Amino acid sequence: MFDNLSEKLGGILDRLTGRGALSEADVDAAMREIRRALLEADVALEVVRSFTERVREQAVGATVVKSVKPGQMVVKIVNDELIATLGSEVQSIDLNAVPPVPIMMVGLQGSGKTTTTAKLARRMTERDKRKVLMASLDVYRPAAMEQLAVLGRDLQIDTLPIVAGQQPPDIARRAMEAGKLGGYDVVLLDTAGRTTLDEDMMTEAAEIKAAANPHEVLLVADSLTGQDAVNLARAFDQRVGLTGIVLTRIDGDGRGGAALSMRAVTGKPIKLMGTGEKTDALEDFHPSRIASRILG
Ligand code: GDP
């Protein structure tokens, strides 16, 4: 992820820093190149526009500051704006509520929802010392329920017993009841995805949300799908309401557009990123570190 973008932005900015003075025309030319590089990386058009406009405004003003080389000033401005676009601060999962704290995972089939549920459960158990219950609400794919049960057994983390014939909102209520009776700190609800953004999935997610009143609703989105992931986030946020985003497959060779657009388009923070298939491959999303990776 980010390799291509990093190479291009690095090249553009290197050419700028190599020069003594910058005219407004130089800045404009650089902004056109940056704009092209971001669009090629699949960053949403609205985000590219506002990003380059903000950088341009500051860069034109900055070229008159004598103490620092103008090119270096522009690099700093681009870096700061990248961080701002990515969300500035690390945003962690909020567990500050009466236990058992319900956390609902939503997203398309294959986005990495079940894997991320297990990763999160593992991190909360091992690092945060919480007692976690995982529940699969995927009544359409018995294999998905079994997948979570297998992950739970491997990690020695409890999963809600599977009861055939129950509807997702009822499973959510049963999970919360089991969470209370069993003295769990957190209940992770792994909902069913669909292959595309569809109305049934949204309706079902809204019903589950009403049944469980989750403290966090996390969208798990595949970063390799670029612009589609951004549209998905917008739709889910409008229909169901999100508190955060988990971007998966950051270890893949995606162009980085989703990571850069998500926060700006939805206003919701990217809280975590999946960096591999194993259950320990989950990391906090650090805007400043990602910005450094993008700038190389
Ligand atoms: P779900 O249908 O949304 O529950 O998706 P799964 O959790 O079953 O994941 C689908 C596939 O993606 C599995 O093969 C996972 O191992 C893989 N996967 C999930 N997250 C990541 C990630 O961050 N990186 C990589 N490389 N693979 C991932």
Coordinates of all heavy atoms in Angstrom, one line a residue, residues 8-70:
K8 N 5.6 8.8 -6.3 CA 5.2 10.0 -7.1 C 5.3 11.3 -6.3 O 5.9 12.3 -6.7 CB 3.8 9.9 -7.6 CG 3.8 8.9 -8.8 CD 2.5 9.0 -9.6 CE 2.6 8.0 -10.7 NZ 1.5 7.0 -10.7
L9 N 4.7 11.3 -5.1 CA 4.8 12.5 -4.3 C 6.2 12.9 -3.9 O 6.6 14.0 -3.9 CB 3.9 12.4 -3.0 CG 2.4 12.4 -3.2 CD1 1.8 12.4 -1.8 CD2 2.0 13.7 -3.9
G10 N 7.0 11.8 -3.6 CA 8.4 12.0 -3.2 C 9.1 12.7 -4.4 O 9.8 13.7 -4.1
G11 N 8.9 12.3 -5.6 CA 9.5 12.9 -6.7 C 9.1 14.3 -6.9 O 10.0 15.2 -7.1
I12 N 7.8 14.6 -6.8 CA 7.4 16.0 -7.0 C 8.0 16.9 -6.0 O 8.5 18.0 -6.3 CB 5.8 16.0 -6.9 CG1 5.2 15.2 -8.0 CG2 5.3 17.5 -7.0 CD1 3.7 14.8 -7.7
L13 N 8.0 16.4 -4.7 CA 8.5 17.3 -3.6 C 10.0 17.4 -3.7 O 10.5 18.5 -3.3 CB 8.0 16.8 -2.3 CG 6.4 16.8 -2.1 CD1 6.0 16.1 -0.9 CD2 6.0 18.3 -2.1
D14 N 10.7 16.4 -4.1 CA 12.1 16.5 -4.2 C 12.5 17.6 -5.2 O 13.5 18.3 -5.0 CB 12.7 15.2 -4.7 CG 12.9 14.2 -3.6 OD1 12.8 14.6 -2.4 OD2 13.2 13.0 -3.8
R15 N 11.8 17.6 -6.3 CA 12.1 18.7 -7.3 C 11.9 20.1 -6.7 O 12.6 21.0 -7.0 CB 11.2 18.5 -8.6 CG 11.7 17.3 -9.4 CD 11.2 17.4 -10.8 NE 9.7 17.2 -10.9 CZ 9.1 16.1 -10.8 NH1 9.8 15.0 -10.7 NH2 7.8 16.0 -10.9
L16 N 10.9 20.2 -5.9 CA 10.6 21.5 -5.2 C 11.7 21.9 -4.3 O 12.2 23.0 -4.2 CB 9.3 21.5 -4.5 CG 8.0 21.7 -5.2 CD1 6.8 21.8 -4.2 CD2 8.0 23.0 -6.0
T17 N 12.1 20.9 -3.4 CA 13.1 21.3 -2.4 C 14.5 21.6 -3.0 O 15.3 22.3 -2.4 CB 13.3 20.1 -1.4 OG1 13.1 18.9 -2.0 CG2 12.4 20.2 -0.2
G18 N 14.7 21.1 -4.2 CA 16.0 21.3 -4.8 C 16.1 22.7 -5.3 O 17.2 23.1 -5.7
R19 N 15.1 23.5 -5.2 CA 15.2 24.9 -5.8 C 15.3 25.9 -4.7 O 14.9 25.8 -3.6 CB 13.9 25.2 -6.6 CG 13.6 24.0 -7.5 CD 12.4 24.2 -8.3 NE 12.3 25.6 -8.8 CZ 11.7 25.9 -9.9 NH1 11.1 24.9 -10.6 NH2 11.6 27.1 -10.4
G20 N 15.9 27.1 -5.0 CA 16.1 28.1 -4.1 C 14.8 28.9 -3.8 O 14.4 29.1 -2.7
A21 N 14.2 29.4 -4.8 CA 13.0 30.2 -4.7 C 11.9 29.6 -5.4 O 12.1 28.9 -6.4 CB 13.3 31.6 -5.2
L22 N 10.6 29.9 -4.9 CA 9.5 29.3 -5.6 C 8.5 30.4 -6.0 O 8.2 31.3 -5.2 CB 8.7 28.4 -4.7 CG 9.3 27.0 -4.3 CD1 8.4 26.3 -3.4 CD2 9.6 26.2 -5.6
S23 N 8.1 30.4 -7.2 CA 7.1 31.4 -7.6 C 5.7 30.8 -7.5 O 5.6 29.6 -7.3 CB 7.3 31.8 -9.1 OG 7.0 30.7 -9.9
E24 N 4.7 31.6 -7.6 CA 3.3 31.1 -7.5 C 3.1 30.1 -8.6 O 2.4 29.1 -8.4 CB 2.3 32.3 -7.6 CG 1.0 31.8 -7.1 CD 0.0 33.0 -6.8 OE1 0.5 34.1 -6.5 OE2 -1.2 32.8 -6.9
A25 N 3.7 30.3 -9.7 CA 3.5 29.4 -10.9 C 4.2 28.1 -10.6 O 3.6 27.0 -10.9 CB 4.1 30.0 -12.1
D26 N 5.3 28.1 -9.9 CA 6.0 26.8 -9.5 C 5.0 26.0 -8.6 O 4.9 24.8 -8.7 CB 7.3 27.1 -8.7 CG 8.3 27.7 -9.6 OD1 8.3 27.5 -10.8 OD2 9.2 28.5 -9.0
V27 N 4.4 26.7 -7.6 CA 3.5 26.1 -6.7 C 2.3 25.5 -7.4 O 2.0 24.3 -7.2 CB 3.1 27.0 -5.6 CG1 2.0 26.4 -4.7 CG2 4.2 27.5 -4.7
D28 N 1.8 26.3 -8.3 CA 0.6 25.8 -9.1 C 1.0 24.6 -9.9 O 0.2 23.6 -9.9 CB 0.1 26.9 -10.0 CG -0.7 27.9 -9.3 OD1 -1.2 27.6 -8.2 OD2 -0.9 29.1 -9.7
A29 N 2.2 24.6 -10.5 CA 2.6 23.4 -11.3 C 2.7 22.2 -10.4 O 2.3 21.1 -10.7 CB 3.9 23.7 -12.0
A30 N 3.3 22.4 -9.2 CA 3.5 21.3 -8.3 C 2.1 20.7 -7.8 O 1.9 19.5 -7.7 CB 4.3 21.7 -7.1
M31 N 1.2 21.7 -7.6 CA -0.2 21.3 -7.1 C -0.9 20.4 -8.2 O -1.6 19.5 -7.9 CB -1.0 22.5 -6.8 CG -0.7 23.2 -5.5 SD -0.4 22.0 -4.1 CE 1.3 22.3 -3.8
R32 N -0.7 20.8 -9.5 CA -1.3 20.0 -10.5 C -0.7 18.6 -10.5 O -1.5 17.6 -10.7 CB -1.0 20.7 -11.9 CG -2.0 21.8 -12.3 CD -2.0 22.1 -13.7 NE -0.7 22.7 -14.1 CZ -0.4 24.0 -14.0 NH1 -1.2 24.8 -13.4 NH2 0.8 24.4 -14.4
E33 N 0.6 18.5 -10.3 CA 1.2 17.1 -10.3 C 0.7 16.3 -9.1 O 0.4 15.1 -9.2 CB 2.7 17.2 -10.2 CG 3.3 17.7 -11.5 CD 4.8 17.7 -11.4 OE1 5.4 16.6 -11.2 OE2 5.4 18.8 -11.5
I34 N 0.6 17.0 -7.9 CA 0.1 16.3 -6.7 C -1.3 15.9 -6.9 O -1.7 14.7 -6.6 CB 0.2 17.3 -5.5 CG1 1.7 17.5 -5.1 CG2 -0.6 16.7 -4.3 CD1 1.9 18.4 -3.9
R35 N -2.1 16.8 -7.5 CA -3.5 16.4 -7.8 C -3.6 15.1 -8.7 O -4.4 14.2 -8.4 CB -4.1 17.6 -8.6 CG -5.6 17.5 -8.9 CD -6.0 18.7 -9.7 NE -7.1 18.3 -10.6 CZ -8.3 18.5 -10.2 NH1 -8.6 19.0 -9.0 NH2 -9.3 18.1 -11.0
R36 N -2.8 15.1 -9.7 CA -2.8 13.9 -10.6 C -2.4 12.7 -9.8 O -3.0 11.6 -9.9 CB -1.9 14.2 -11.8 CG -2.1 13.2 -12.9 CD -1.3 13.4 -14.2 NE -1.2 14.8 -14.5 CZ -0.1 15.5 -14.8 NH1 1.1 14.9 -14.7 NH2 -0.1 16.8 -15.2
A37 N -1.3 12.8 -9.0 CA -0.8 11.6 -8.3 C -1.9 11.1 -7.3 O -2.1 9.9 -7.2 CB 0.4 12.0 -7.5
L38 N -2.6 12.0 -6.7 CA -3.7 11.6 -5.7 C -4.8 11.0 -6.5 O -5.4 9.9 -6.0 CB -4.2 12.8 -4.9 CG -3.2 13.4 -3.9 CD1 -3.8 14.7 -3.3 CD2 -2.9 12.4 -2.8
L39 N -5.2 11.5 -7.6 CA -6.3 10.9 -8.4 C -5.9 9.5 -8.9 O -6.7 8.6 -8.8 CB -6.7 11.8 -9.6 CG -7.5 13.1 -9.2 CD1 -7.6 14.0 -10.4 CD2 -8.8 12.8 -8.6
E40 N -4.7 9.4 -9.3 CA -4.2 8.1 -9.7 C -4.2 7.1 -8.6 O -4.4 5.9 -8.8 CB -2.8 8.2 -10.3 CG -2.9 8.6 -11.8 CD -1.5 8.9 -12.3 OE1 -0.5 8.6 -11.7 OE2 -1.4 9.6 -13.4
A41 N -4.0 7.6 -7.4 CA -4.0 6.7 -6.2 C -5.5 6.4 -5.8 O -5.7 5.8 -4.7 CB -3.2 7.3 -5.1
D42 N -6.5 6.9 -6.5 CA -7.9 6.6 -6.3 C -8.4 7.4 -5.1 O -9.4 6.9 -4.4 CB -8.0 5.1 -6.1 CG -9.3 4.5 -6.7 OD1 -9.9 5.3 -7.4 OD2 -9.6 3.4 -6.4
V43 N -7.8 8.5 -4.8 CA -8.4 9.3 -3.7 C -9.6 10.0 -4.3 O -9.6 10.4 -5.4 CB -7.3 10.4 -3.3 CG1 -7.9 11.3 -2.1 CG2 -6.0 9.7 -2.8
A44 N -10.7 10.1 -3.4 CA -11.9 10.7 -3.9 C -11.7 12.2 -4.4 O -11.0 12.9 -3.8 CB -13.0 10.7 -2.8
L45 N -12.4 12.5 -5.5 CA -12.2 13.8 -6.2 C -12.4 15.0 -5.2 O -11.5 15.9 -5.2 CB -13.1 13.9 -7.4 CG -13.0 15.2 -8.2 CD1 -11.6 15.4 -8.8 CD2 -14.1 15.2 -9.3
E46 N -13.4 14.9 -4.4 CA -13.7 16.0 -3.5 C -12.5 16.2 -2.5 O -12.2 17.3 -2.1 CB -15.0 15.8 -2.8 CG -15.0 14.6 -1.9 CD -16.4 14.1 -1.5 OE1 -17.0 14.5 -0.5 OE2 -16.9 13.2 -2.2
V47 N -12.0 15.1 -2.1 CA -10.9 15.1 -1.1 C -9.6 15.7 -1.8 O -8.9 16.5 -1.2 CB -10.6 13.7 -0.5 CG1 -9.4 13.8 0.4 CG2 -11.8 13.2 0.1
V48 N -9.4 15.3 -3.0 CA -8.2 15.8 -3.8 C -8.3 17.3 -3.9 O -7.4 18.1 -3.7 CB -8.1 15.2 -5.2 CG1 -7.0 15.8 -6.0 CG2 -7.9 13.6 -5.1
R49 N -9.5 17.8 -4.3 CA -9.8 19.2 -4.5 C -9.5 20.0 -3.3 O -8.7 21.0 -3.3 CB -11.2 19.4 -4.9 CG -11.5 19.2 -6.4 CD -12.7 20.1 -6.8 NE -13.0 19.7 -8.2 CZ -14.1 19.1 -8.5 NH1 -15.0 18.8 -7.6 NH2 -14.3 18.7 -9.8
S50 N -10.1 19.6 -2.2 CA -9.9 20.4 -1.0 C -8.5 20.3 -0.4 O -7.9 21.3 0.0 CB -10.9 20.1 0.1 OG -10.7 18.8 0.5
F51 N -7.9 19.1 -0.6 CA -6.5 19.0 -0.1 C -5.5 19.9 -0.9 O -4.8 20.7 -0.3 CB -6.1 17.5 -0.4 CG -4.7 17.2 0.1 CD1 -4.4 16.8 1.4 CD2 -3.6 17.3 -0.8 CE1 -3.1 16.6 1.8 CE2 -2.3 17.0 -0.5 CZ -2.0 16.6 0.9
T52 N -5.6 19.8 -2.2 CA -4.7 20.7 -3.0 C -4.9 22.1 -2.8 O -4.0 23.0 -2.8 CB -4.7 20.3 -4.5 OG1 -6.1 20.2 -4.9 CG2 -4.0 19.0 -4.8
E53 N -6.2 22.5 -2.6 CA -6.5 23.9 -2.4 C -5.9 24.4 -1.1 O -5.3 25.5 -1.1 CB -8.0 24.1 -2.4 CG -8.5 25.5 -2.5 CD -7.7 26.4 -3.5 OE1 -7.4 26.0 -4.6 OE2 -7.4 27.5 -3.1
R54 N -6.0 23.6 -0.1 CA -5.5 24.0 1.2 C -4.0 24.1 1.2 O -3.4 25.0 1.7 CB -5.9 23.0 2.4 CG -7.4 23.2 2.8 CD -7.6 22.6 4.1 NE -7.2 21.2 4.2 CZ -7.9 20.1 3.8 NH1 -9.1 20.3 3.3 NH2 -7.4 18.9 3.8
V55 N -3.4 23.1 0.5 CA -1.9 23.1 0.4 C -1.5 24.4 -0.4 O -0.5 25.1 0.0 CB -1.3 21.8 -0.2 CG1 0.1 21.9 -0.5 CG2 -1.6 20.6 0.7
R56 N -2.1 24.6 -1.5 CA -1.8 25.7 -2.4 C -1.8 27.1 -1.6 O -0.9 27.8 -1.6 CB -2.7 25.8 -3.6 CG -2.1 26.5 -4.8 CD -3.2 26.9 -5.8 NE -3.8 28.1 -5.4 CZ -3.3 29.3 -5.8 NH1 -2.3 29.4 -6.5 NH2 -3.9 30.4 -5.4
E57 N -2.9 27.3 -0.9 CA -3.1 28.5 -0.2 C -1.9 28.8 0.8 O -1.4 29.9 0.8 CB -4.4 28.5 0.6 CG -5.6 29.1 -0.1 CD -6.9 28.8 0.7 OE1 -6.8 28.7 1.9 OE2 -7.9 28.8 0.0
Q58 N -1.6 27.7 1.5 CA -0.5 27.9 2.5 C 0.8 28.0 1.9 O 1.7 28.7 2.3 CB -0.5 26.7 3.5 CG -1.8 26.6 4.3 CD -1.8 25.3 5.1 OE1 -0.9 25.1 6.0 NE2 -2.7 24.4 4.8
A59 N 1.0 27.2 0.8 CA 2.3 27.2 0.1 C 2.6 28.6 -0.5 O 3.8 29.0 -0.4 CB 2.4 26.1 -0.9
V60 N 1.6 29.2 -1.1 CA 1.9 30.5 -1.7 C 2.3 31.5 -0.6 O 3.2 32.3 -0.8 CB 0.6 31.0 -2.5 CG1 0.7 32.4 -2.9 CG2 0.4 30.1 -3.7
G61 N 1.6 31.5 0.5 CA 1.9 32.4 1.6 C 3.3 32.0 2.1 O 4.1 32.9 2.5
A62 N 3.7 30.7 2.2 CA 4.9 30.3 2.8 C 6.1 30.7 2.0 O 7.2 30.8 2.6 CB 4.9 28.8 3.0
T63 N 6.0 30.9 0.7 CA 7.2 31.1 -0.1 C 7.9 32.4 0.3 O 9.0 32.6 -0.1 CB 6.8 31.1 -1.6 OG1 5.8 32.1 -1.8 CG2 6.4 29.7 -2.1
V64 N 7.1 33.3 1.0 CA 7.8 34.6 1.4 C 8.6 34.5 2.7 O 9.3 35.4 3.1 CB 6.8 35.7 1.5 CG1 6.1 36.0 0.2 CG2 5.7 35.4 2.6
V65 N 8.4 33.3 3.5 CA 9.1 33.2 4.7 C 10.6 32.8 4.3 O 10.8 31.9 3.6 CB 8.5 32.0 5.6 CG1 9.4 31.8 6.8 CG2 7.1 32.3 5.9
K66 N 11.5 33.6 4.8 CA 12.9 33.5 4.3 C 13.7 32.5 5.0 O 14.6 31.9 4.4 CB 13.6 34.9 4.5 CG 13.1 36.0 3.5 CD 14.0 36.1 2.3 CE 13.3 36.7 1.1 NZ 12.7 38.0 1.4
S67 N 13.4 32.2 6.3 CA 14.3 31.4 7.1 C 14.4 30.0 6.6 O 15.5 29.3 6.8 CB 13.9 31.5 8.6 OG 12.6 31.2 8.6
V68 N 13.4 29.5 6.1 CA 13.4 28.1 5.7 C 13.3 28.1 4.1 O 12.7 28.9 3.5 CB 12.1 27.3 6.2 CG1 12.2 25.8 6.0 CG2 12.0 27.6 7.7
K69 N 13.9 27.1 3.6 CA 13.8 27.0 2.1 C 12.4 26.7 1.7 O 11.7 25.9 2.3 CB 14.6 25.8 1.6 CG 16.1 26.1 1.4 CD 16.7 25.0 0.5 CE 18.1 25.4 0.1 NZ 18.8 24.2 -0.5
P70 N 11.9 27.5 0.7 CA 10.5 27.4 0.3 C 10.0 25.9 0.0 O 9.0 25.5 0.5 CB 10.3 28.2 -0.9 CG 11.6 29.0 -1.0 CD 12.6 28.4 -0.1

